[in-house]
């Protein structure tokens, strides 16, 4: 009986958050090692289905870096990166398109359907909702077919949300001439969140958030303002690989999104715990 009461208490705690976010859009960025972890992905997609069921409007944007690198290796293509962006020539683009649009996008959608949800894959093979242009590297390096999102078909994405379906979008875009480009998944998710006027953007990572001591998972900072985050970067508390993640969060806030979260997607039901509990499990950065 005590366990049953505890479950009821959890539902009551969640009720306030559900009311607050019902009808609001949350963009969820999937990628990296999470797509390789079948158990973690299973529970994350269950979380997404729960969110849609209780009235939120989740939108999934995904990359697939590790799967792309493996597929390129299988094809005898050497991966090359410039400041974290994959140099993408014509043979590489074929691999990227096959992995993102032909495999992962379909797989994520089918997994959600099998788990009882309703999802729609929006890819260049179905309906491409991301439009952009070739990304010009500031240092002059030619990254090949790497693009930057300049617009999103908001009406298409929102129409799915109104019919209780979860849009699943790979990080690929077309330009005005119909050329396909590979897009960094973080920046693609940022563009989608901005276009939809999302209340939240959630970056699912393999760390539990921003830490005061990067080696101590217990030193996580549950919430901070954009100003506090910038100061922590200046003070050297936020450093290394966490800097570009936090800077991406700050750029997203500058574009009108209310809150950005960094959470460990490997933690079971981390998405629900972050959104529907008072304490949360990751770091929330707000304007």
């Amino acid at each position: 009986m005590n366990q049953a009461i505890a479950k009821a208490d959890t539902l009551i705690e969640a009720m306030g958050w559900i009311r607050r976010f019902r009808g609001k859009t949350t963009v969820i960025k999937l990628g990296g090692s999470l797509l390789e972890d079948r158990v973690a992905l299973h529970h994350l997609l269950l979380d997404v289905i729960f969110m849609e069921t209780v009235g939120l409007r989740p939108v999934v944007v995904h990359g697939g870096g590790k799967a792309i690198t493996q597929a390129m290796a299988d094809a005898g293509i050497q991966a090359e990166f410039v400041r974290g962006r994959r140099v993408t020539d014509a043979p590489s683009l074929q691999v990227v398109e096959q992995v993102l649009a032909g495999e992962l996008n379909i797989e994520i959608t089918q997994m959600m359907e099998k788990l009882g949800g309703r999802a729609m894959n929006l890819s260049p093979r179905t309906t491409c909702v991301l439009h952009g242009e070739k990304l010009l590297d500031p240092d002059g390096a030619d990254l090949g077919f790497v693009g930057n999102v300049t617009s999103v078909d908001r009406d298409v994405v929102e129409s799915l949300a109104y019919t209780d379906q979860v849009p699943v979008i790979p990080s690929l875009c077309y330009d005005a001439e119909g050329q396909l480009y590979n897009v960094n998944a973080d920046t693609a998710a940022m563009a989608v969140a901005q276009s939809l006027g999302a209340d939240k953007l959630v970056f699912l990572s393999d760390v539990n958030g921003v830490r005061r001591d990067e080696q101590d998972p217990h030193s996580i900072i549950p919430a901070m303002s954009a100003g506090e985050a910038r100061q922590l970067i200046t003070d050297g508390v936020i450093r290394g690989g966490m800097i570009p993640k936090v800077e991406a969060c700050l750029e997203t806030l500058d574009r009108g999104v209310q809150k950005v979260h960094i959470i460990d997607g490997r933690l079971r039901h981390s998405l629900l715990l972050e959104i529907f509990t008072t304490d949360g499990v990751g770091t929330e950065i707000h304007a």
Side-chain angles (χ1 to χ4, degrees):
M1 181 59 69
N2 287 336
Q3 289 182 343
I5 292 172
K7 289 180 180 179
D9 287 339
T10 300
L11 290 173
I12 294 300
E13 179 183 359
M15 180 174 64
W17 298 106
I18 292 171
R19 283 180 172 171
R20 180 174 177 180
F21 299 126
R22 187 166 51 201
K24 303 286 183 67
T25 299
T26 297
V27 176
I28 301 153
K29 185 264 176 173
L30 279 175
S33 58
L34 296 178
L35 292 172
E36 306 295 314
D37 188 333
R38 311 306 297 176
V39 175
L41 183 59
H42 172 93
H43 289 295
L44 281 169
L45 295 181
L46 277 176
D47 289 0
V48 173
I49 293 169
F50 179 90
M51 291 169 65
E52 190 283 320
T53 300
V54 298
L56 280 71
R57 294 177 180 165
V59 176
V60 174
V61 178
H62 71 86
K66 290 194 173 183
I68 292 170
T69 298
Q70 182 59 55
M72 288 178 61
D74 293 341
I77 302 172
Q78 179 68 39
E80 180 184 354
F81 295 88
V82 175
R83 283 182 301 283
R85 295 187 185 274
R86 185 186 303 273
V87 178
T88 309
D89 59 11
S92 300
L93 184 63
Q94 288 186 331
V95 174
V96 169
E97 191 276 340
Q98 173 61 31
V99 171
L100 292 183
E103 298 173 11
L104 290 176
N105 191 247
I106 295 172
E107 183 179 7
I108 292 169
T109 305
Q110 290 179 343
M111 284 183 69
M112 292 184 67
E113 296 277 349
K114 289 178 181 178
L115 292 170
R118 299 184 65 203
M120 178 63 69
N121 51 319
L122 299 176
S123 80
R125 297 193 177 191
T126 56
T127 302
C128 187
V129 295
L130 303 184
H131 306 283
E133 60 189 8
K134 180 180 175 67
L135 179 67
L136 301 177
D137 184 80
D139 291 339
D142 186 357
L143 302 176
F145 298 103
V146 174
N148 183 52
V149 176
T150 56
S151 67
V152 178
D153 281 340
R154 177 173 179 168
D155 290 344
V156 174
V157 178
E158 289 188 334
S159 66
L160 290 175
Y162 286 125
T163 57
D164 302 329
Q165 298 182 78
V166 178
V168 182
I169 306 169
S171 53
L172 294 164
C173 74
Y174 276 123
D175 69 8
E177 285 72 44
Q179 174 60 55
L180 186 67
Y181 288 98
N182 180 23
V183 181
N184 175 273
D186 286 349
T187 58
M190 289 165 54
V192 172
Q194 178 190 11
S195 175
L196 298 178
D199 186 72
K200 291 177 179 290
L201 170 58
V202 181
F203 289 106
L204 293 165
S205 180
D206 54 5
V207 295
N208 64 341
V210 180
R211 304 170 181 173
R212 293 194 179 277
D213 179 353
E214 62 182 350
Q215 302 300 323
D216 181 8
H218 299 292
S219 66
I220 184 174
I221 305 171
M224 69 179 81
S225 68
E228 290 170 336
R230 291 187 176 94
Q231 188 60 51
L232 289 173
I233 292 174
T234 300
D235 294 343
V237 175
I238 297 175
R239 59 180 185 269
M242 186 55 71
I243 290 178
K245 288 184 183 295
V246 173
E247 287 180 339
C249 294
L250 296 174
E251 183 178 349
T252 304
L253 293 174
D254 289 340
R255 294 182 179 187
V257 177
Q258 298 299 308
K259 296 178 181 178
V260 185
H261 301 255
I262 300 174
I263 63 175
D264 188 348
R266 300 170 301 175
L267 175 66
R268 183 172 177 177
H269 299 312
S270 56
L271 196 52
L272 296 186
L273 291 169
E274 179 67 10
I275 295 176
F276 295 126
T277 64
T278 302
D279 294 334
V281 294
T283 296
E284 172 192 291
I285 305 177
H286 53 85

